[in-house]
Amino acid sequence: MYSRLYTHILNHYSQIDHCASFHHIYTDSSLFGIFASFVPAASGISGGSTPGQILPHLIHQLSLLLYSPVPPDELKRAKNQLNSSLMMALESRAVEVEDLGRQVSFFLLFLCSMAPVFCLT
């Protein structure tokens, strides 16, 4: 199973090399975006494109989300993919080290509040 960007953009426009979406979730907001890479027209390679030629295709894919209903099976697949990516992110070494750093930091704060003799300041 491929994403809509893969089936609707990469399969139909050979000048686009890569197209994907991204999202970042914060405590009070979030960010969603689409990015694409393509052969530039100034490269001298035939079939090159300009951002003005590629951008309408990407905007059209965003507008499809607004004006056409998403099939239930596709929505379920997207939710499963999001859940999977969040679970896999928890397994990354960077997240584990960040969690360990928070635990050590919290423990030092706790230790300083209970026994000031252990504090460095």
Side-chain angles (χ1 to χ4, degrees), residues 101-118:
R102 285 185 184 156
Q103 290 178 22
V104 168
S105 177
F106 179 76
F107 178 72
L108 290 176
L109 286 174
F110 174 75
L111 195 61
C112 287
S113 68
M114 298 306 279
V117 76
F118 292 112

Side-chain angles (χ1 to χ4, degrees), residues 16-92:
I16 300 177
D17 294 326
H18 180 71
C19 185
S21 64
F22 63 89
H23 67 279
H24 297 287
I25 301 171
Y26 303 105
T27 55
D28 60 345
S29 64
S30 61
L31 176 68
F32 174 78
I34 294 178
F35 67 91
S37 64
F38 56 92
V39 177
S43 67
I45 299 173
S46 65
S49 301
T50 64
Q53 293 170 321
I54 302 297
L55 195 57
H57 302 299
L58 298 177
I59 292 172
H60 176 69
Q61 290 303 311
L62 284 175
S63 69
L64 287 176
L65 292 174
L66 291 173
Y67 301 116
S68 63
V70 178
D73 59 333
E74 194 173 325
L75 184 61
K76 183 178 179 185
R77 187 170 45 109
K79 287 180 179 181
N80 288 339
Q81 184 178 5
L82 176 62
N83 192 13
S84 174
S85 68
L86 290 174
M87 291 298 147
M88 289 299 288
L90 292 175
E91 297 290 326
S92 75

